[in-house]
Amino acid sequence: MPPTDLRHVNLKLLLRELDRRFPTDVAPIDLSGVSSPALAAAAIRQLVAVHGSNDLVNVPPEGRVLPPRLDVFLGKLDIHDRQATDYLQELRADEEGVAVLFDRAELGELVDGHYLLRTKPLREHFDLCDDRFGREPCIPSARGSGFLVARYPARRRSRWLVTASHCIAPAEIASTVVTFAFDLAAVDDGVVRIAADEVYELRAELLRSADGDPGDWAIFELDREVEGRTIRPLACEPIGLTRPVHVVGHPLGLPRKLAGNARVREAAADYFKANLDAYGGNSGSPIFDSETHAIVGLLVSGQEDLMASLGCKLDQCMLDQCPGEVCTRVALFADFIPYPEL
């Protein structure tokens, strides 16, 4: 594991050793005349370039090629190459019912039936040591993530959205919009285009947990039904320790991301903790059982995501300091989901 304090490390030797052991596409760093702070920052960025600082991935929309880190994820689940294509299809289905919630002011101009969202590159908001997503657009006003739920998920239609209660205050309901279409396919040369019929409003609040309740959940009615998207069933039974799980959502307001390589570390009657690599913006995200793909939880809180490092912000999970994100069990709200109208 990389040390948390690099002041006691010979940074030049560290960089040279990284270049020797882990050849990458990253250009070698010229060490001549480099100041100590700059050298330390270079060491951190080189470490991240080699190892990857987190488990966030973009699930490819098609094809058989696994992105970095997802290959590791499947390996930990003992999924072989011949099974990977089928499993990727299941992960794509997991993503279909996941939405980002944001202020309608960010919808931007309507051109040819598409909203041009007001976004900025992530690197303009966060100087992350891991710059893999630095060029991707993010929604600065993103209020969190949410997901579709239904009594009969096989029908692939619902108007009910679950998120964390703290994501949407009652006064924000009228100004909040929802889309399930914010992924990399919606990005063209840095511009995010979302079809007008892919934008939903919150019509009403059905029910939410009481103020101060650590369960922190809310169910909203959308202005119309969402059709044709996979809706995963809710698994209300207790979840066991070490069970593999993954999360899908919009960390830092980015296009939809998946993070796996996680297991349940603590389980209680109303919640569980898992070492998920999640960020602000993931609140309200669904937690999936990585073997059954049922939704087992709702992400509501966790540790501080990023720590100040030498010249950039470092994901704490890279330092194996991910004690666990708090996830509300779906059993707390499953019985309040309405039955569909006949």
Side-chain angles (χ1 to χ4, degrees):
M1 280 299 148
T4 57
D5 187 347
L6 294 178
R7 290 174 297 181
H8 307 304
V9 176
N10 186 312
L11 299 177
K12 290 186 178 182
L13 290 179
L14 174 60
L15 283 171
R16 290 195 179 103
E17 187 65 13
L18 284 169
D19 288 335
R20 184 183 70 81
R21 291 192 184 187
F22 305 102
T24 68
D25 294 332
V26 180
I29 298 174
D30 182 6
L31 301 177
S32 59
V34 178
S35 66
S36 180
L39 188 59
I44 282 285
R45 293 185 187 276
Q46 189 79 340
L47 274 170
V48 171
V50 169
H51 293 286
S53 72
N54 56 37
D55 292 309
L56 291 182
V57 298
N58 292 307
V59 176
E62 57 187 16
R64 307 169 65 94
V65 178
L66 300 179
R69 306 301 297 165
L70 187 54
D71 195 6
V72 177
F73 175 40
L74 299 185
K76 288 186 177 181
L77 292 175
D78 197 25
I79 293 176
H80 304 291
D81 291 344
R82 64 180 180 274
Q83 302 170 291
T85 301
D86 292 339
Y87 195 80
L88 275 175
Q89 189 64 35
E90 292 297 322
L91 293 179
R92 295 185 193 110
D94 290 346
E95 293 188 324
E96 288 184 11
V98 180
V100 61
L101 293 70
F102 60 100
D103 193 297
R104 67 168 59 251
E106 306 296 350
L107 281 176
E109 186 180 1
L110 185 61
V111 178
D112 296 331
H114 289 75
Y115 287 107
L116 307 185
L117 265 58
R118 295 190 174 99
T119 61
K120 291 184 178 180
L122 181 69
R123 60 174 48 155
E124 293 186 14
H125 292 273
F126 300 94
D127 183 18
L128 304 183
C129 301
D130 183 353
D131 200 37
R132 288 179 299 151
F133 309 118
R135 296 180 182 274
E136 290 189 15
C138 68
I139 303 175
S141 72
R143 291 171 175 167
S145 304
F147 56 98
L148 287 174
V149 292
R151 286 283 182 172
Y152 304 111
R155 294 184 177 181
R156 293 168 59 88
R157 55 190 301 171
S158 175
R159 63 169 67 243
W160 309 110
L161 183 88
V162 169
T163 186
S165 177
H166 74 265
C167 290
I168 307 294
E172 295 174 324
I173 293 176
S175 64
T176 300
V177 293
V178 174
T179 184
F180 299 85
F182 185 35
D183 56 19
L184 285 186
V187 182
D188 182 14
D189 195 24
V191 178
V192 180
R193 295 169 53 88
I194 302 292
D197 61 4
E198 290 282 4
V199 176
Y200 299 82
E201 298 180 355
L202 299 182
R203 171 179 288 178
E205 176 186 305
L206 177 64
L207 198 64
R208 73 167 67 215
S209 57
D211 290 344
D213 185 336
D216 195 7
W217 56 268
I219 305 175
F220 292 95
E221 180 184 6
L222 299 176
D223 64 321
R224 63 193 187 279
E225 278 197 329
V226 182
E227 299 183 4
R229 291 185 173 273
T230 299
I231 303 173
R232 291 303 196 188
L234 304 180
C236 296
E237 62 273 10
I239 190 167
L241 291 175
T242 73
R243 189 73 178 173
V245 292
H246 61 273
V247 61
V248 177
H250 293 270
L252 306 176
L254 284 166
R256 194 166 48 227
K257 298 283 182 287
L258 178 146
N261 291 338
R263 293 187 180 269
V264 175
R265 291 188 169 184
E266 178 183 336
D270 296 337
Y271 73 91
F272 61 89
K273 289 185 179 181
N275 59 325
L276 292 156
D277 201 2
Y279 295 79
N282 270 127
S283 288
S285 296
I287 312 301
F288 297 88
D289 184 308
S290 296
E291 294 182 359
T292 68
H293 297 276
I295 297 175
V296 294
L298 163 73
L299 195 141
V300 297
S301 66
Q303 81 260 346
E304 190 72 22
D305 305 320
L306 302 169
M307 61 181 292
S309 182
L310 298 170
C312 54
K313 291 185 177 180
L314 186 66
D315 175 13
Q316 296 208 55
C317 288
M318 184 183 178
L319 305 177
D320 199 28
Q321 296 179 5
C322 282
E325 303 285 327
V326 179
C327 310
T328 294
R329 287 187 53 215
V330 298
L332 269 64
F333 56 81
D335 288 342
F336 298 111
I337 299 169
Y339 284 91
E341 297 178 359
L342 298 178

